[in-house]
Amino acid sequence: DTGVSQNPRHKITKRGQNVTFRCDPISEHNRLYWYRQTLGQGPEFLTYFQNEAQLEKSRLLSDRFSAERPKGSFSTLEIQRTEQGDSAMYLCASSPRVRGDGETQYFGPGTRLLVL
Amino acid sequence: AQKITQTQPGMFVQEKEAVTLDCTYDTSDPSYGLFWYKQPSSGEMIFLIYQGSYDQQNATEGRYSLNFQKARKSANLVISASQLGDSAMYFCAMRALFFGNEKLTFGTGTRLTIIP
């Protein structure tokens, strides 16, 4: 079973540009999550999908951020008009349809974004 | 709302010694789960151990054990016989266990360095 994959692994962009990240969850995992991790901090929850439905969004997810999971498989996270404060690691995670309380979210390697 | 506090920004431990990483939490939810993750320099969050608030016994997973003291709201991670490969960031996290809640709340982490 392959793990969660994220592309690209690194992205450098100029302020004001748009960027899009992709996450491929573990096969048959119906839940998918996005987190943001800034330097020296733990991950912060951004949003969560169950199949193709976006069920929760953090207030951290400003209007410039949009996430989609159109077919209930892979997901994309787009940031429009990037700002230097968007520089962070963006982590994706997935979890299975049937699980116990102790089932973890399985994390990908992250996409590290640097906005110049 | 949940809050996780990790007061040790960094720790240095001699190889083969045991180490305790501190974690305290705050929540008003009656049922919750506590998780520990390891994040090596590659960035991926690796699940280590889980403790449910309703569990009577402390969780153990190989060299990892969780010292859960519910009255003190602490969930310390104990690593026995530390190895060089244990050098990484360690994050404590929690999730309130009510229907529909998928959000993990993380602490700021502890950087553990194992000295040969």
Side-chain angles (χ1 to χ4, degrees):
Chain A
D1 208 9
T2 57
V4 176
S5 61
Q6 293 187 245
N7 289 289
R9 293 293 309 278
H10 300 90
K11 179 71 176 179
I12 300 174
T13 190
K14 292 182 179 179
R15 189 177 54 188
Q17 297 294 305
N18 299 344
V19 293
T20 300
F21 310 141
R22 176 176 169 131
C23 171
D24 287 89
I26 293 173
S27 178
E28 297 184 355
H29 279 194
N30 71 328
R31 294 180 176 89
L32 187 146
Y33 316 83
W34 285 99
Y35 290 82
R36 181 176 71 184
Q37 185 178 18
T38 54
L39 206 59
Q41 301 295 317
E44 296 172 292
F45 173 82
L46 292 178
T47 190
Y48 147 62
F49 289 86
Q50 185 164 309
N51 299 312
E52 64 275 9
Q54 189 173 18
L55 296 186
E56 189 174 353
K57 290 171 60 174
S58 164
R59 62 180 181 275
L60 293 174
L61 215 65
S62 75
D63 291 345
R64 296 185 297 106
F65 287 70
S66 63
E68 294 183 342
R69 195 183 183 198
K71 296 182 180 179
S73 56
F74 72 91
S75 175
T76 58
L77 177 68
E78 180 183 17
I79 310 174
Q80 295 181 329
R81 306 181 303 282
T82 52
E83 302 172 356
Q84 289 182 326
D86 297 332
S87 296
M89 173 84 91
Y90 290 84
L91 291 163
C92 177
S94 68
S95 68
R97 179 187 310 273
V98 179
R99 59 159 197 198
D101 290 337
E103 183 85 50
T104 182
Q105 295 173 14
Y106 298 84
F107 284 83
T111 294
R112 192 176 295 278
L113 173 67
L114 177 61
V115 182
L116 301 175
Chain B
Q2 296 91 43
K3 185 176 181 181
I4 296 285
T5 301
Q6 295 181 254
T7 58
Q8 305 155 310
M11 288 191 70
F12 291 84
V13 172
Q14 203 75 37
E15 190 180 6
K16 299 181 184 178
E17 289 186 351
V19 56
T20 298
L21 304 181
D22 294 342
C23 171
T24 57
Y25 60 90
D26 192 21
T27 182
S28 56
D29 295 290
S31 183
Y32 48 89
L34 295 155
F35 301 78
W36 275 93
Y37 291 87
K38 173 183 178 182
Q39 187 179 41
S41 55
S42 58
E44 187 171 344
M45 301 288 283
I46 302 168
F47 168 70
L48 297 178
I49 194 166
Y50 168 82
Q51 178 84 43
S53 61
Y54 42 80
D55 291 332
Q56 297 298 312
Q57 290 190 323
N58 287 343
T60 60
E61 287 287 347
R63 294 188 299 115
Y64 304 107
S65 61
L66 201 152
N67 184 2
F68 180 47
Q69 298 187 46
K70 193 171 182 177
R72 298 180 62 181
K73 294 189 174 181
S74 74
N76 297 340
L77 176 71
V78 180
I79 306 174
S80 63
S82 57
Q83 303 171 356
L84 295 177
D86 294 334
S87 294
M89 284 291 293
Y90 287 81
F91 291 94
C92 180
M94 73 181 301
R95 181 170 68 89
L97 300 177
F98 58 83
F99 180 76
N101 181 52
E102 295 290 330
K103 175 184 173 182
L104 274 172
T105 299
F106 287 83
T108 53
T110 297
R111 181 173 296 282
L112 176 64
T113 303
I114 306 300
I115 305 167

